[in-house]
Every structure is written in C-alpha cells, then in structure tokens.
Amino acid sequence: TGFANGDTESVVSGKDSITYSYKDGATVVTVNNTLAVGEYSIVPGVSGLSADNYTFAPANGKLTVGQATMEVTSDGYNDLYDGASHGLTASVDGLPGMEITYSTSPDGPFTDASPEYTNAGTYNVYFKAVDPDGNYAPDTGSAQIVIRKLEVTVTADDQGMTYGDSTASPAGVSYTGFIAGEDESVVTGTVGYNYFDGTTEVFIGSTLGAGYYDITPDLSGLSATNYTFTPANGTLTVDQATMEVTSPGYEDYYDGMA
C-alpha cells in the first residue's frame, strides 16, 4: 500500500528477496509441526526491495495456529460376572499425554478414575480428553461396561420309589457354577419338577410303572442378580414291588379222581 499516481508493485524490484520471520514477542520461532497453538507476528524482511520513487517500511502480519483435533476412545469392558469391580480405560491414540477424566453422566462431574461396577448389567461411562498444553481441542466419548450373568447348572437330585407307592423320596436340586464365596443363598424363587418317560410326561402315583424316568427341573421361578440357570436332569427310579405267590394245597380222602 502507498503507491502514487497509479503505480503498483510492478515498479518494485527484488520482490523475490522478501524474507519472513516469525516471532512470539521478541523470540523468533520456527514454523513446523511442533509450533504451539497461539498467535505469532510475521515480520517481513524488505531490505532487498528497491524502486526509483519509493522506500519500504515493513508491517507485521499475524500467524494463527489453531488447535488440532484428537479422538478419545475406549474399548469398554465386556465379560462374565466374577464378583470383582470393573471400570474401563479411555485413551487418545498416539497422544499419551492427554488428561482423561470419567463420569456416569455426559454433563459430569468428571473424575480421574473410571466408574466401576460389580453386578451384572450394562453401564454407560462418559469420558473426555484435554490437552494440558492446549494444542489439541478437547474431545469427548462414551463406552459401555457390560457384565454378563454367569450360568449356573441346576441338577435335579435322583429320586426313588417302589411301584404302588403314592409318593417318591423328596425332590431337590444341586447347584454348580457359582463364583467362590457364593452359593444358592443368592437365588430367590422355587424349583418345580416334571417327570418324563422319553418325551411323554408322567406323574408320580401308585400306578406309575417300574422303570427309570427323567426328572426335569423347572427353573422358570428362579432369579438372581448375577446368574442365569440351566437345568440338568436327574433320574426317578421306580422299583418293582414284591409279591407273594401262595396256594392252600389240597387235602381229602382218596376218591379215585385226579
């Protein structure tokens, strides 16, 4: 700016000699991928310019370095119930120095440690990453902690009776699959029992024939916070009843007949 009488920069020679230096206050900085976010002075070097009718005074420009973007992610957590508490870890790939905080709500408050959960369920965890140097814009994300119920096998106890009895020995079940330190005391509800000859349902009573029958536990009434239930059959054995064969015999005088 400042030319007279319609002159333009075409009257200037040495334009290719203009140099540029960048300063943070009085400190010269280098423009590269490590230059921090902020505003810097661009100082043109015009000593190589010449023109018949003009002198040249430099005026600074401004270099603005904006924040880069980053992405904070987490694989979350997904596994079977084990009685331990579990959280998750978020990170920014390639940027290990970011400050990451966690919350149970997208609106916070955020803390340094991930929320942790023990019981089966699906839990949303929110996190954000902040660059302590300010060179990357903050980013937020979310992931889930999924704790799946553990499967417990419920096996019907074997029962016995004798043909003709109206009842069998008491029904019951045994449990396998609880984590250490837990047992059927964490289970609520009752077990039902069904009896089958192959695929045909039978019923305990005095007319049930001798043989072997499947005892299938009905677990639809059971519930537990951290367990599901799978039935396993037991066996009802119906023993043969005993009988006594007798005869009064025959006693009389000889009469010549058989």
Side-chain angles (χ1 to χ4, degrees):
T1 60
F3 292 107
N5 300 320
D7 287 344
T8 66
E9 63 265 26
S10 63
V11 302
V12 180
S13 61
K15 292 191 289 291
D16 291 343
S17 68
I18 297 175
T19 60
Y20 301 91
S21 61
Y22 302 86
K23 292 185 176 182
D24 181 9
T27 303
V28 176
V29 298
T30 301
V31 175
N32 58 25
N33 61 359
T34 65
L35 187 59
V37 166
E39 294 183 348
Y40 303 87
S41 297
I42 307 172
V43 182
V46 297
S47 61
L49 297 181
S50 65
D52 291 338
N53 299 308
Y54 299 96
T55 60
F56 302 95
N60 291 350
K62 182 171 67 176
L63 169 64
T64 300
V65 180
Q67 288 181 313
T69 60
M70 62 179 172
E71 182 180 13
V72 59
T73 61
S74 173
D75 292 334
Y77 177 85
N78 190 321
D79 211 338
L80 292 169
Y81 170 73
D82 61 4
S85 58
H86 298 281
L88 56 76
T89 301
S91 62
V92 179
D93 189 30
L95 299 173
M98 300 301 103
E99 295 177 349
I100 298 176
T101 52
Y102 304 85
S103 178
T104 58
S105 166
D107 300 320
F110 287 82
T111 61
D112 291 339
S114 167
E116 294 187 345
Y117 300 92
T118 301
N119 287 333
T122 299
Y123 308 92
N124 291 320
V125 175
Y126 302 87
F127 41 82
K128 65 179 178 181
V130 175
D131 180 6
D133 297 325
N135 293 321
Y136 291 86
D139 190 46
T140 60
S142 66
Q144 291 184 328
I145 296 173
V146 179
I147 300 175
R148 306 192 309 276
K149 289 189 175 187
L150 191 63
E151 183 178 281
V152 165
T153 299
V154 183
T155 304
D157 295 339
D158 292 340
Q159 293 177 257
M161 61 183 292
T162 299
Y163 175 74
D165 292 345
S166 58
T167 60
S169 58
V173 292
S174 59
Y175 298 83
T176 56
F178 292 108
I179 65 168
E182 293 186 354
D183 55 25
E184 59 267 27
S185 64
V186 302
V187 180
T188 60
T190 57
V191 178
Y193 300 90
N194 300 304
Y195 302 85
F196 291 91
D197 182 7
T199 59
T200 302
E201 186 172 10
V202 298
F203 300 92
I204 291 177
S206 60
T207 61
L208 186 60
Y212 300 96
Y213 302 90
D214 290 327
I215 308 169
T216 301
D218 178 0
L219 311 181
S220 60
L222 296 184
S223 64
T225 301
N226 297 308
Y227 297 95
T228 60
F229 304 98
T230 297
N233 291 348
T235 301
L236 168 65
T237 302
V238 180
D239 293 325
Q240 291 178 319
T242 59
M243 61 180 178
E244 181 181 5
V245 58
T246 62
S247 172
Y250 177 82
E251 182 179 354
D252 207 343
Y253 290 103
Y254 171 75
D255 58 5
M257 300 186 66

